[in-house]
Amino acid sequence: MPGKHVPQDAAAAGQLCRRCRTSEASLVVRTEPLCRDCFIRYVSTKAVKRMESFRVRHSTPDQTRKLLLPMSFGVSSVTLLHILDYQLKNQTAKTGRTGFQLLVVHIDTSAVEKNAPDPSFMSKLQARFKDHSYATVPLKDVFETPSSYSNDQNIEVDPTPTSDQLSTFLATLPSATALADVLSTLRTRLLVAYARQHGCEAILWGDSTTRLAEKTLSETAKGRGFALPWSIADGQTPAGIPSNYPLRDLLKKELTSHANFVNPPLTEVVYAPEPTGPVSTSSKTTTIDDLMKAYFESVEENYPSIVANVVRTATKLDAAKFEEGDERCSLCGMPVPDGKFGIHGWGGDQHDVQGVSPGEQTEALCYGCTRSVPKGTTLPS
């Protein structure tokens, strides 16, 4: 039976930090009382260890490696930027150069998403972390750029404006879950394309353990379980750009505490949408992602090991084998071996709630995208 929850700072009251043995503990981290300084060091060390391959000794003075950091202005991505900024400053102080450069990119969805963060947050980040490159890219650009997943890189780009096309396309989606799924897919597709165009060696995602656990179950429920090995694990992806998750060993609540403890706090550059109240399973605006987020953020309070176990188990999955010449999904770009597009192509007893019969799907979509995009929908050019 779950015990009564005790706030971390209250549980730490009167205890000495278990690491330095001199300062009073500020909070309890996974049963270990830590002071403010030791806790900040604990979080930074966890992330920096995941960046081992990007140390100065792995780069050359005449060619610094470039890494893309997607910025949502949430506590996780902002905290990752703070940690990497500090790491780069230390590298410069010790060796006179850095092992990598950061390109911080925000995908602006404010034209199609109500609770999207204001792009002006980027100027606040630039003022605080001045030594990096920054870019804000509107979501509509995803259809103005040749797909980074495409086998044919000589695609002609349609010069017509795509803002209206994108809005019209999103308006056809049948549910809040479908909309959230497609927006996430388009953001990822645009980030990958941007990384490739600007010569980035890898993408550093700011996902915490909690976020990766949420994604594991929500992606599975949405029919994207086949892509989990590429979407939650470090390493190469079908897009040709490796993914790296430096915060994968840290819970979201730990990142929130870290953001409040650093001086000055990161709260002024973290976007916090207005609270919407308890998540209702009956609400038409509630998504699978919302449900998983509410579930794991409650579980991590008293049972953080459950959250970590979900992620550890999922990372043991083997990625499906694919060839460079395999056909790709028109929307997400994932390989579809043997051209088994749509729901019915995957076999088994599949019931298509959108009424798509075999051979009727107008776009070459994978199983997950077919579940989100209704019959007869044409993707914007």
Side-chain angles (χ1 to χ4, degrees):
M1 294 292 291
K4 182 179 179 181
H5 172 64
V6 179
Q8 288 184 314
D9 51 354
Q15 298 190 62
L16 278 181
C17 173
R18 191 170 293 177
R19 298 199 174 187
C20 67
R21 301 288 183 178
T22 56
S23 301
E24 182 177 345
S26 299
L27 76 172
V28 176
V29 180
R30 308 187 194 192
T31 73
E32 186 178 23
L34 297 180
C35 67
R36 172 187 172 278
D37 291 342
C38 286
F39 172 68
I40 292 175
R41 194 175 302 115
Y42 161 85
V43 171
S44 298
T45 301
K46 287 273 190 183
V48 171
K49 280 184 177 180
R50 287 282 175 181
M51 297 290 294
E52 179 66 26
S53 60
F54 300 108
R55 295 181 65 176
V56 172
R57 66 187 182 193
H58 298 304
S59 67
T60 58
D62 60 332
Q63 188 174 12
T64 304
R65 305 157 83 183
K66 188 183 295 184
L67 306 177
L68 186 143
L69 170 59
M71 177 54 59
S72 67
F73 305 118
V75 66
S76 299
S77 57
V78 172
T79 297
L80 179 56
L81 175 58
H82 172 83
I83 292 172
L84 296 179
D85 180 77
Y86 185 74
Q87 181 188 9
L88 289 170
K89 283 182 168 59
N90 278 343
Q91 289 180 349
T92 301
K94 292 178 180 178
T95 67
R97 62 188 182 92
T98 62
F100 59 92
Q101 295 175 342
L102 277 181
L103 173 56
V104 183
V105 179
H106 171 65
I107 304 300
D108 179 14
T109 61
S110 58
V112 295
E113 196 173 21
K114 290 182 179 179
N115 289 328
D118 189 327
S120 65
F121 272 79
M122 189 64 92
S123 60
K124 296 180 181 179
L125 281 182
Q126 288 180 275
R128 180 155 178 177
F129 306 104
K130 300 179 174 145
D131 300 329
H132 316 293
S133 300
Y134 294 84
T136 298
V137 184
L139 185 64
K140 69 179 182 65
D141 283 6
V142 70
F143 294 115
E144 296 178 349
T145 305
S147 172
S148 57
Y149 301 105
S150 175
N151 296 323
D152 181 4
Q153 294 301 312
N154 298 314
I155 301 174
E156 292 185 5
V157 179
D158 185 349
T160 59
T162 58
S163 298
D164 292 340
Q165 295 178 26
L166 179 59
S167 298
T168 300
F169 166 60
L170 295 177
T172 67
L173 301 181
S175 67
T177 292
L179 177 60
D181 180 58
V182 170
L183 284 174
S184 176
T185 296
L186 295 180
R187 273 193 295 263
T188 300
R189 174 173 158 174
L190 185 52
L191 285 165
V192 169
Y194 199 89
R196 293 185 64 163
Q197 289 171 357
H198 291 80
C200 295
E201 187 173 320
I203 298 179
L204 306 178
W205 302 96
D207 295 15
S208 63
T209 303
T210 314
R211 172 61 185 140
L212 291 175
E214 295 166 12
K215 188 185 292 186
T216 296
L217 295 195
S218 64
E219 293 297 282
T220 301
K222 291 184 289 186
R224 299 189 182 279
F226 72 95
L228 279 178
W230 301 313
S231 58
I232 66 168
D234 293 335
Q236 191 57 263
T237 67
I241 297 287
S243 289
N244 188 281
Y245 297 87
L247 304 180
R248 67 178 307 115
D249 296 324
L250 292 157
L251 298 167
K252 183 178 179 181
K253 65 178 181 179
E254 294 169 344
L255 299 179
T256 300
S257 296
H258 179 275
N260 289 322
F261 280 0
V262 296
N263 188 24
L266 297 175
T267 49
E268 64 178 19
V269 289
V270 171
Y271 171 69
E274 292 296 324
T276 56
V279 175
S280 170
T281 57
S282 61
S283 173
K284 290 184 179 180
T285 60
T286 300
T287 68
I288 290 174
D289 304 85
D290 293 332
L291 293 174
M292 292 300 101
K293 179 179 179 180
Y295 172 70
F296 279 108
E297 287 187 1
S298 64
V299 168
E300 75 169 359
E301 287 298 321
N302 291 308
Y303 303 102
S305 61
I306 292 178
V307 184
N309 283 339
V310 170
V311 178
R312 277 196 294 267
T313 301
T315 52
K316 293 178 182 178
L317 295 171
D318 292 328
K321 297 186 182 301
F322 68 94
E323 302 292 337
E324 286 300 319
D326 282 345
E327 295 183 82
R328 304 286 182 121
C329 174
S330 299
L331 185 59
C332 71
M334 288 294 104
V336 183
D338 302 321
K340 294 181 178 179
F341 293 107
I343 287 180
H344 301 278
W346 290 74
D349 182 16
Q350 304 291 342
H351 298 283
D352 186 358
V353 296
Q354 295 162 1
V356 181
S357 299
E360 287 187 1
Q361 188 71 34
T362 59
E363 297 285 349
L365 301 178
C366 68
Y367 179 84
C369 288
T370 301
R371 291 185 58 175
S372 291
V373 179
K375 170 185 172 182
T377 300
T378 300
L379 303 183
S381 57

